[in-house]
Amino acid sequence: MKFRRSGRLVDMTNYMLHHPHSLVPLTYFSEKYHSAKSSISEDLTIIKETFEQHGIGTLLTVPGAAGGVKFIPKVEYKEAKQFVDELCELIAKPERLLPGGYLYLTDILGNPSIVNKIGRLFATAFGNRKIDVVMTVATKGIPLAYAVAAQLDVPVVIVRKDSKVTEGSTVSINYVSGSSKRIQTMLLAKRSLKEGSNVLIIDDFMKAGGTINGMISLLEEFKANVAGIGVLVESEGVEERLVDEYISLVKLANVDIRERNIQVMPGTYFQLVKDKKIGEN
Amino acid sequence: MKFRRSGRLVDMTNYMLHHPHSLVPLTYFSEKYHSAKSSISEDLTIIKETFEQHGIGTLLTVPGAAGGVKFIPKVEYKEAKQFVDELCELIAKPERLLPGGYLYLTDILGNPSIVNKIGRLFATAFGNRKIDVVMTVATKGIPLAYAVAAQLDVPVVIVRKDSKVTEGSTVSINYVSGSSKRIQTMLLAKRSLKEGSNVLIIDDFMKAGGTINGMISLLEEFKANVAGIGVLVESEGVEERLVDEYISLVKLANVDIRERNIQVMPGTYFQLVKDKKIGEN
């Protein structure tokens, strides 16, 4: 059975979208559709042009016998800015302010469509780094970590603050929470992370950075490397930030709990894109 | 600027895949591409045929002024069976057995590609029910819940076993864990669930069903309805099952911790598909 170009384009688009950052040999498609490699190449050119034109991402062609094509998801600056502006507006509502300067984000983090867009943004920012695994801490960061990992085609590991019988033996560290200055514990299942892994840390909220700093210490225990840090919301106005290098999408400033006032603005992501430090081809 | 059919097909496929179970008016596409509605209709016919031919799902056409097209993700029986057979093989390794008859699933649940396939399977099973929200309990069920919710285009709410400052006021219940017979507490943020919501419960593992039973009690507190229950793995050989109606993908039998022996087989999903009780158009 032969497949027409129109049908191939639809099925290939579906396949590429479901396999980001994976190298797909051209023979995979030519065998699946009983089509010549030259026809598949033409199909891929159409898909690449359409992806780029509509801000979906791009296709990278890797030449040679071990070559193929790779889908790199990518959000354009304009779309990213518009999305984060909407997010800022959503977050700026005073009823979100909770005791301790925390923010009610449960509804936003409970929306898979928003979460997946956030994943695409971070995948754009970190897409050109070598990443083996995405790490987060239970529980709010979990959906964000999966959304990023799906776009980067890597697994997720979840650090916990309590031990679970269903994970086997664990490695634990103590860390100082940046804002409350209390000593806390976090742990990770021994078999969940290989030595030398390049780890992207993702979390929903960062104040002083104590939790993220804890994850960095944990990575040292596993002899793993920090490949990047991404947070959805960072809160400004902290005397001493424990973490220097990170990408945030949203920044809070002038949090005034008594007056129920917050100022919400786009995070470091946009400055870094402008400075051409992230999101490059 | 006019768009050619080939480019439209690629972009429309991307759009439909990212908006499952949402009604998209034809005018959305005809305006986006400056194309006649008749051309858009032809495009959609090609996409529908390709989706059905390759087991991606189908497109439903809703006629009339308020009409449009809706993408219904759907996994074919054959693909589902093959995927779950592979999952069974992966799960059947004796080194996964943990004290208490639990199973180490962290690596499987940490793989976004597996998790998303599980999400598509549950979306196939529950796709024709009225569902407003997917509920799970922290933490292992979270990625599965998001994967299902993304395919059904509904939000996720997460029940917790400990209170968090960042969620505001909560409703809590006590429940009896089915296997350990201990009394435990679970809670849900007050503002996270509306009265009368139709709720799909998703979890990773069910033994006697105490945790799921607890979620059902919590739904009663919120005057919400159980629209369905889906679990990745159920463990057989429990004297008294607290939950009757559920869909499982994988079933454990003859768990012998001393001999490090487990028997793993496909769950109720496949019996229900065969009996035509789920997955109907």
Side-chain angles (χ1 to χ4, degrees), chain A residues 118-273:
Chain A
I118 295 169
R120 287 178 59 221
L121 252 68
F122 280 128
T124 304
F126 295 111
N128 52 1
R129 303 198 194 176
K130 170 101 188 76
I131 291 164
D132 302 310
V133 57
V134 173
M135 174 187 260
T136 191
V137 67
T139 52
K140 304 243 173 192
I142 297 176
L144 298 178
Y146 274 84
V148 182
Q151 295 292 323
L152 294 175
D153 189 37
V154 297
V156 175
V157 298
I158 300 170
V159 174
R160 310 179 57 107
K161 291 180 177 171
D162 59 326
S163 183
K164 277 280 269 193
V165 67
T166 53
E167 292 193 314
S169 58
T170 55
V171 174
S172 75
I173 58 135
N174 294 317
Y175 70 102
V176 180
S177 154
S179 27
S180 72
K181 308 277 182 210
R182 275 187 310 153
I183 290 183
Q184 304 196 31
T185 304
M186 59 168 68
L187 38 85
L188 183 61
K190 249 188 194 167
R191 31 179 155 173
S192 65
L193 194 61
K194 273 192 214 125
E195 221 173 84
S197 299
N198 299 298
V199 181
L200 172 60
I201 294 174
I202 294 288
D203 210 356
D204 62 317
F205 194 79
M206 177 171 74
K207 277 180 85 175
T211 306
I212 286 172
N213 215 29
M215 283 194 261
I216 297 173
S217 306
L218 201 52
L219 288 184
E220 284 167 15
E221 290 299 318
F222 280 86
K223 295 195 173 62
N225 317 309
V226 182
I229 297 166
V231 295
L232 173 59
V233 179
E234 65 163 313
S235 186
E236 256 199 349
V238 177
E239 317 88 73
E240 188 195 6
R241 173 87 74 202
L242 300 169
V243 176
D244 302 325
E245 266 198 73
Y246 58 88
I247 294 178
S248 65
L249 297 190
V250 173
K251 199 182 277 191
L252 301 187
N254 304 320
V255 179
D256 187 334
I257 303 160
R258 206 177 304 175
E259 296 289 328
R260 290 210 150 229
N261 206 355
I262 19 174
Q263 205 186 328
V264 185
M265 60 191 93
T268 65
Y269 182 93
F270 298 96
Q271 195 50 52
L272 291 164
V273 173

